[in-house]
Every structure is written in structure tokens, then in C-alpha cells.
Amino acid sequence: MKDFANASFPPEVISVMEQALDAAVATLPEPVHSHHVQLIAEAILRAAHSGERDPVVLQRLALLELQLHPR
């Protein structure tokens, strides 16, 4: 997560991002790979940094990006 070393978010945005991450990871089949969690987290961080604050939208964006990521 090298692109976010200097990112700063208020507590309410962090809470929204946590909700989105938890919801997105919960949809993944077992076993959940740490690489997938990292990709989801980075997508959520990017979208939140761009101003998105809806946890459902953050979750969907992250899962869509995960599907588009080459494996």
C-alpha cells in the first residue's frame, strides 16, 4: 500500500472503509488469500481518497476491481 503512506482519513471515514472491507471479504470463497484482501483494501482506499463515502459503493467498487485484476 505504498501509495497511501501519507493518506489521512477522519475516524468516520475509517469506519466506513472498515465496513466495506469486512463486507467485501465476507463475500470471498474460503480460503481467503491475503493478496485478495490487500487488493480490496487498496481499492477501497483509492475510492475513499477520491471522496466516496458509501460503504456499499466502496464494497462493490473493490469487488469489481478484484474481478478485473489479472491473476
Side-chain angles (χ1 to χ4, degrees):
M1 292 193 217
K2 57 188 177 289
D3 297 334
F4 303 103
N6 296 321
S8 177
F9 297 97
E12 59 273 7
V13 176
I14 293 171
S15 177
V16 167
M17 292 189 298
E18 287 175 336
Q19 291 173 32
L21 179 65
D22 290 344
V25 171
T27 67
L28 299 178
E30 294 288 335
V32 176
H33 299 284
S34 61
H35 180 68
H36 293 155
V37 175
Q38 182 176 348
L39 291 172
I40 289 170
E42 289 175 358
I44 290 170
L45 281 166
R46 271 193 301 282
H49 188 67
S50 295
E52 183 57 59
R53 298 297 184 259
D54 184 332
V56 174
V57 173
L58 291 170
Q59 174 192 355
R60 288 180 184 160
L61 289 171
L63 289 172
L64 284 171
E65 189 169 320
L66 181 64
Q67 288 179 335
L68 295 174
H69 191 272
R71 299 182 196 252

